Amino acid sequence: MPKKAILAFSGGLDTSVVVKYLQEKYNMDVVTVTVDVGQGDDQKKIAAKAKKLGVKKHYNIDAKKEFVSDFIFPSIKANSLYQKKYCLATALTRPLIAKKVLEIAKKEKVTALAHGCSGKGNDQVRFDVTFSSGSNLPIIAPIRDLNLDRKTELKFAKKHGIKIDSVAKKFSIDQNLWGRAIEGGVLEDAYKEPPSDVFIWVKTKNLAANPSYLEIQFEKGVPVAVDGKKLNPIALIEYINKKAGAAGVGIVDHIEDRVIGIKSREVYETPAATCLIEAHSDLEKMVHTKHENKFKSLIDDEWSWLVYSGLWEDPLRKDLDAFIDQTQKRVSGTVKLKLYKGSLRVVGRKSKYSLYSYKVATYGKGSTFDQKLAKGFVELWGMQSTEANKLQRKR
Ligand code: ARG
């Protein structure tokens, strides 16, 4: 019986090279799986590419709906931004892709699971951990195992007639519905401003002279309508990506700590994620108590850290989700965002669960808040702090 590997296949440089390596160096038959998470690729072209590479069978799975409902929406509820910046666009897809690969692995009775990740990035962790959580099959990662670099891969691709598009020669790109990540090439100089041809989703030149607005309606922590229109989750995200991107909103440029310890310069285009997380967290502040706000931000951070670090499958993630879901019952309402020449600002919010009370907060006449009550509270609140300082002064 020939050995048979199943490979998560994007049709890009890494995974195309891996198909050939598996066939030639590992002597294996290859089954490829492309999971559509809204990367906008032509699935027919990818299937043709797989065929040309001589794979035994190619699968194309549309997982966009599942990606939104089971991965993006939980991440919005968790206001998920790794190191306060990165919306986890790539990180969220990996466990989903790996799960889909596992489903087909069973059907195809393969002898190994394969991926095209390097030994330097985070994706190897995400694939390996999800694979090993759901199967005992061995994992093959030729790029990591053979210590391949990009230049060697490009040479190998050329030798095997594998076509690589011109952008992929300059940068390493990963994109889906939730964001576009750009790495490598000139971006590896952490002090150099990214050239404008890096950006495709976000407009950087000739931005509109007037501001535009986005009105996002949330129901139990997830967006359900935008600008007064009820849209399905995929269309809603696409709509915001377009509108905010056109206003220059959604570029992120930061130094990121990878799981294995490397610091890397990462550039992202994430217009919808940027707007939705900003709006969602603002709405939470209005409906949650100060205690919920303080505690939940710790949980949110832990969630982001765990998911970034490839531990989607850890039971803790579900534990955190249970808490987060409980907090979302009152996160319903509308947030108004102003987009102007690349900047984003929340300029209004309302909710039937709002804890903001005009009558209590107003500095105007008719406030129902009795200021006299505050005196005693402040005295007790600061008692230990003032005592400690009194003691210091005596010394
Ligand atoms: N650093 C991000 C992550 O680990 C994005 C990686 C994107 N990959 C790429 N080839 N650009 O999730």
Side-chain angles (χ1 to χ4, degrees):
M1 267 253 292
K3 292 182 290 174
K4 185 153 96 176
I6 189 161
L7 170 71
F9 183 72
S10 70
L13 172 67
D14 294 327
T15 54
S16 299
V17 162
V18 166
V19 173
K20 280 285 150 220
Y21 268 98
L22 288 169
Q23 292 164 336
E24 291 181 2
K25 306 251 192 280
Y26 294 75
N27 260 320
M28 299 185 97
D29 284 345
V30 183
V31 173
T32 43
V33 183
T34 304
V35 180
D36 186 354
V37 282
Q39 53 270 56
D41 291 337
D42 182 340
Q43 296 299 337
K44 278 198 190 118
K45 268 193 191 155
I46 294 178
K49 195 162 188 184
K51 212 169 162 201
K52 203 167 158 232
L53 288 164
V55 306
K56 289 284 163 206
K57 210 163 176 187
H58 175 76
Y59 287 84
N60 171 34
I61 312 283
D62 183 354
K64 291 196 287 291
K65 266 195 187 157
E66 209 175 325
F67 180 42
V68 179
S69 60
D70 297 356
F71 294 83
I72 294 179
F73 277 6
S75 83
I76 294 174
K77 292 180 189 175
N79 300 310
S80 192
L81 292 176
Y82 176 68
Q83 298 193 314
K84 311 264 184 268
K85 290 265 199 170
Y86 167 44
C87 71
L88 304 183
T90 298
L92 290 167
T93 63
R94 285 353 185 208
L96 172 60
I97 295 171
K99 264 189 212 162
K100 293 292 167 199
V101 168
L102 284 176
E103 279 171 27
I104 298 165
K106 244 189 218 153
K107 205 162 92 183
E108 285 287 332
K109 299 197 171 55
V110 301
T111 54
L113 308 166
H115 62 67
C117 307
S118 79
K120 302 183 93 174
N122 301 314
D123 286 342
Q124 56 173 338
V125 186
R126 300 164 186 155
F127 273 107
D128 282 10
V129 174
T130 308
F131 279 164
S132 308
S133 296
S135 156
N136 293 325
L137 287 170
I139 297 168
I140 306 178
I143 295 181
R144 174 175 68 187
D145 301 346
L146 305 169
N147 217 345
L148 298 178
D149 58 66
R150 235 179 135 70
K151 216 169 163 191
T152 313
E153 282 185 54
L154 283 167
K155 230 168 103 186
F156 182 88
K158 204 172 167 195
K159 200 178 114 196
H160 285 80
I162 299 169
K163 275 209 189 100
I164 301 301
D165 73 63
S166 56
V167 183
K169 281 182 193 152
K170 286 211 269 183
F171 307 108
S172 166
I173 289 165
D174 183 61
Q175 65 178 39
N176 60 59
L177 203 53
W178 202 226
R180 182 168 181 269
I182 317 117
E183 281 180 310
V186 291
L187 301 177
E188 287 176 356
D189 179 344
Y191 194 67
K192 213 175 222 151
E193 181 176 346
S196 55
D197 69 340
V198 161
F199 303 111
I200 292 182
W201 291 14
V202 179
K203 207 170 160 190
T204 55
K205 285 179 205 155
N206 306 319
L207 292 162
N210 296 316
S212 53
Y213 292 85
L214 263 176
E215 249 182 355
I216 305 173
Q217 192 194 330
F218 290 88
E219 207 61 67
K220 295 196 172 77
V222 301
V224 292
V226 59
D227 292 343
K229 290 185 281 277
K230 289 237 179 260
L231 290 176
N232 74 59
I234 298 171
L236 181 140
I237 292 169
E238 285 171 344
Y239 176 92
I240 301 176
N241 265 334
K242 268 220 181 93
K243 187 163 171 182
V249 168
I251 292 177
V252 173
D253 179 338
H254 84 140
I255 295 292
E256 189 170 294
D257 284 305
R258 289 194 188 152
V259 183
I260 53 162
I262 294 175
K263 278 194 191 291
S264 67
R265 194 276 186 91
E266 301 279 336
V267 177
Y268 300 102
E269 295 182 276
T270 59
T274 302
C275 292
L276 283 165
I277 292 169
E278 182 72 18
H280 177 268
S281 65
D282 187 89
L283 184 59
E284 277 193 338
K285 282 192 192 160
M286 177 172 247
V287 302
H288 283 161
T289 66
K290 65 192 275 189
H291 312 290
E292 286 178 300
N293 281 326
K294 179 165 176 281
F295 187 70
K296 183 169 181 289
S297 78
L298 301 174
I299 301 302
D300 289 350
D301 257 359
E302 187 65 25
W303 196 96
S304 308
W305 184 85
L306 204 66
V307 173
Y308 179 84
S309 308
L311 301 182
W312 179 267
E313 294 300 328
D314 194 284
L316 177 60
R317 200 258 314 153
K318 282 196 184 137
D319 301 339
L320 298 178
D321 272 340
F323 168 80
I324 292 170
D325 277 337
Q326 171 68 24
T327 66
Q328 297 303 293
K329 291 187 177 150
R330 287 170 284 129
V331 187
S332 301
T334 302
V335 180
K336 189 162 53 177
L337 300 171
K338 182 175 183 173
L339 315 165
Y340 183 57
K341 288 195 192 267
S343 78
L344 164 70
R345 185 151 53 96
V346 177
V347 292
R349 70 289 277 164
K350 58 181 178 187
S351 167
K352 61 182 173 202
Y353 298 110
S354 174
L355 295 177
Y356 169 82
S357 160
Y358 172 82
K359 272 192 179 150
V360 171
T362 183
Y363 287 114
K365 226 177 148 48
S367 168
T368 56
F369 184 84
D370 181 0
Q371 292 186 56
K372 291 194 288 292
L373 290 174
K375 188 175 160 28
F377 165 77
V378 177
E379 208 170 308
L380 299 181
W381 176 248
M383 188 166 66
Q384 290 202 2
S385 313
T386 47
E387 267 319 302
N389 280 293
K390 267 183 201 153
L391 215 69
Q392 290 282 353
R393 273 193 278 134
K394 263 191 208 153
R395 287 199 178 158

